[in-house]
Amino acid sequence: MRVSFSYLDRQFADLEPYLKRIADLVRTGDFTLGKPLVEFEERFARLCGLPHAAGVGTGTDAIAISLKVLGVEPGDEVITTPMTFIATVGAIVQAGARPVFVDSEDGLTIDPEKIEAAITPRTRAIVPVHYTGNVAEMPRIAQIARKHDLLVVEDACQAIGASIDGKPVGSWGETACFSLHPLKNLNVWGDGGVIVTRSRDLAEKIRLHRNHGLVNRDEVAAFGVNSRLDTLQAAVGNELIAQTGFITAKRIEHARRYDAALEGLAEHVSIPRRRPAVKHVYHLYVVRAERRDELLAHLQRNGVEAKVHYPIPVHLQPAARHLGYVEGDFPACEADAKRIITLPAHQHLTDQEIDYTIRQVRAFYGK
Ligand SMILES: Cc1ncc(COP(=O)(O)O)c(C=O)c1O
């Protein structure tokens, strides 16, 4: 049996409704900041339970633009975690700031109890990452941010639909940033990103900044960038967005099936902390595994496209060398990088495929 990590072939087996939307758009020629984009932004904001959404070029740009528009400047420090995809940190660098890392906790998100020790007079913002689709400890992080007068930009690129006690991601930060990359839970046919915010004023500034700072065709308020969400991608998003509930529910169902089965392998596999109040949306289903690399090879040999997200923490990447971190600085993240493994859990898998994956994990440990 082959258990695929990607689901694009299954997801887009019926292309017709997407192609119809694209044909409609092509006929209007409304390609730049067009009507389908406005519709998508309204629907995305509603889906997130927040009043404003602005489409931008990528999830990376969503973070960088948020920081820029909020006034983060060169020389400022921005706290985040090395347990993330490189883009979180790349976006902080793109905004001109210096990334400062704080170790991760058992649930693979930033450890709030270690944040205050990393704050200096130069700290301007915290970028918690809702890594894997789990929500960082936002009430505590927001409290720390208030105490030290810091901005919060939530990296929710992996966490559409996630919440704590029913409060959606984006409820705590100045903004929350989403990616529409083809392998994200809500995806389009290329790159795309969205910024959501509770502030009308901030939403207006973001809309200006993503479009060169143009107030109208002839006047520029402040220099910006060209990072508009492509209207064609918004048209794809308008077709898919209604499926977000199904996508999230299926991923949660698969994760519960894995959790229940893997609890029986507790001496070999450990499940990251699950907080009952958190709606984790399982962009990635990650567990810690003994002899991880051997398990990975075993699964791949047997047709299961397991992966590792990611074997090298960001602070140990060559790109981060100038920041001066060394091995041993973030023990939790570093230990996890050696033992985490991602099992396929996407919405188009069948129970049989999940059960086959479970059987393969069990077989590897001789169960
Ligand atoms: C945690 C995280 N942050 C940021 C990004 C950047 O998103 P994009 O690829 O749309 O730039 C991604 C996804 O790629 C991500 O997983």
Side-chain angles (χ1 to χ4, degrees):
M1 186 181 272
R2 186 165 168 272
V3 185
S4 64
F5 191 81
S6 170
Y7 40 90
L8 300 177
D9 52 343
R10 295 186 190 185
Q11 183 173 34
F12 299 117
D14 179 12
L15 282 176
E16 286 315 311
Y18 299 92
L19 296 180
K20 168 149 192 341
R21 282 183 187 264
I22 288 175
D24 289 348
L25 172 63
V26 172
R27 284 191 194 101
T28 65
D30 194 14
F31 290 122
T32 307
L33 300 176
K35 266 203 192 117
L37 174 62
V38 177
E39 180 192 338
F40 182 69
E41 289 176 337
E42 283 168 9
R43 294 176 71 184
F44 197 96
R46 222 175 304 130
L47 178 72
C48 291
L50 290 163
H52 309 285
V56 293
T58 63
T60 311
D61 278 359
I63 301 166
I65 290 172
S66 293
L67 292 170
K68 272 273 185 207
V69 165
L70 286 163
V72 170
E73 290 179 345
D76 289 345
E77 293 177 0
V78 174
I79 290 174
T80 191
T81 158
M83 175 59 79
T84 187
F85 177 54
I86 191 77
T88 313
V89 183
I92 293 169
V93 172
Q94 190 186 320
R98 183 182 181 85
V100 171
F101 296 118
V102 166
D103 210 354
S104 44
E105 46 73 68
D106 194 87
L108 307 174
T109 66
I110 192 167
D111 186 340
E113 298 318 315
K114 295 187 178 146
I115 290 176
E116 285 195 287
I119 294 172
T120 75
R122 292 186 160 184
T123 310
R124 282 296 306 282
I126 308 173
V127 179
V129 183
H130 303 315
Y131 199 53
T132 70
N134 189 18
V135 189
E137 299 245 20
M138 290 314 299
R140 178 80 186 103
I141 293 167
Q143 195 183 40
I144 295 167
R146 267 196 306 277
K147 179 173 157 197
H148 295 274
D149 197 18
L150 302 177
L151 302 159
V152 176
V153 169
E154 298 177 46
D155 180 344
C157 283
Q158 299 192 358
I160 184 144
S163 60
I164 304 180
D165 279 325
K167 282 182 83 174
V169 291
S171 298
W172 298 273
E174 272 61 48
T175 68
C177 303
F178 296 86
S179 167
L180 305 172
H181 177 276
L183 283 181
K184 290 294 187 288
N185 289 20
L186 173 59
N187 52 348
V188 294
W189 289 0
D191 280 310
V194 186
I195 305 173
V196 299
T197 177
R198 284 162 285 131
S199 158
R200 175 186 298 276
D201 180 48
L202 197 51
E204 274 169 21
K205 286 185 180 150
I206 290 163
R207 289 208 168 91
L208 273 184
H209 191 82
R210 72 171 177 188
N211 189 31
H212 306 291
L214 283 165
V215 184
N216 56 46
R217 194 179 171 282
D218 303 321
E219 287 171 273
V220 180
F223 288 113
V225 294
N226 180 352
S227 183
R228 304 173 290 241
L229 175 59
D230 194 327
T231 303
L232 193 143
Q233 299 300 350
V236 173
N238 281 330
E239 186 58 37
L240 251 172
I241 196 165
Q243 292 180 32
T244 315
F246 154 78
I247 293 168
T248 308
K250 265 287 167 197
R251 284 171 177 265
I252 292 172
E253 188 187 314
H254 292 331
R256 294 209 171 125
R257 202 172 180 92
Y258 275 134
D259 276 4
L262 297 179
E263 265 168 22
L265 282 179
E267 70 272 38
H268 305 293
V269 174
S270 97
I271 297 167
R273 183 166 65 108
R274 309 281 188 229
R275 288 133 66 209
V278 172
K279 182 174 177 192
H280 184 326
V281 295
Y282 297 99
H283 170 61
L284 301 172
Y285 181 84
V286 175
V287 291
R288 302 181 174 93
E290 188 182 84
R291 296 192 284 134
R292 189 269 314 273
D293 291 341
E294 287 172 62
L295 173 63
L296 180 67
H298 167 85
L299 291 174
Q300 289 175 346
R301 242 188 345 265
N302 286 283
V304 177
E305 282 183 357
K307 294 191 186 290
V308 174
H309 297 89
Y310 291 93
I312 307 173
V314 180
H315 68 287
L316 299 179
Q317 291 286 351
R321 201 167 289 140
H322 66 288
L323 299 172
Y325 293 106
V326 293
E327 192 149 5
D329 282 344
F330 305 109
C333 171
E334 290 167 25
D336 280 344
K338 294 191 176 85
R339 56 192 183 174
I340 49 177
I341 187 165
T342 309
L343 304 178
H346 64 77
Q347 64 272 15
H348 296 286
L349 289 174
T350 62
D351 287 352
Q352 288 72 23
E353 288 168 317
I354 301 285
D355 290 346
Y356 174 79
T357 304
I358 292 166
R359 278 202 305 282
Q360 287 300 330
V361 175
R362 292 181 64 82
F364 174 76
Y365 292 113
K367 302 281 170 171

